[in-house]
Amino acid sequence: MKDILVYKEFIASIHFCLEDETFFGKLEGIDDLVTFEGQSVSELKNAFHETVDDYIKLCNSTGKKMFKSYKGSFNIKISPALHKKAVEQALIKGVPLNQLVQEAIEKEVYNKH
């Protein structure tokens, strides 16, 4: 597992600063820079929950969208060999390459839980 925390649909990346002996985190998947910190794991979790709750209140009071919006398209870089195999597999299945990739991502995202 990666160094993340999850609360109320928000995900935060977590880091540790050896010099300051402090844990710190950043909310991901939003358009703003929102950070928090704590001296212990317990402090960090509490700060994360408070930060998320405060961010939700701020968004609700200003009408701002809480989460980043996504277009539904993105570019990926893969090896030429994998690209060739993916195209071949799409042809064999009789589906467009985009559909093959979407199905693979759906399988990874939805069947892992």
Side-chain angles (χ1 to χ4, degrees), residues 30-98:
I30 63 173
D31 289 323
D32 299 302
L33 175 61
V34 178
T35 62
F36 55 94
E37 64 179 47
Q39 295 297 117
S40 67
V41 172
S42 179
E43 267 187 38
L44 182 74
K45 285 181 179 179
N46 288 335
F48 173 50
H49 291 184
E50 288 175 12
T51 299
V52 166
D53 291 339
D54 289 346
Y55 187 70
I56 290 170
K57 285 178 193 171
L58 174 70
C59 289
N60 286 338
S61 70
T62 62
K64 178 177 179 48
K65 290 183 181 180
M66 284 186 252
F67 297 100
K68 211 180 257 194
S69 57
Y70 295 92
K71 297 183 301 182
S73 65
F74 60 96
N75 294 321
I76 61 168
K77 293 184 180 185
I78 59 176
S79 71
L82 180 58
H83 191 173
K84 179 180 184 289
K85 287 287 191 186
V87 169
E88 290 170 353
Q89 187 64 31
L91 287 169
I92 289 167
K93 290 181 84 172
V95 298
L97 180 59
N98 277 350

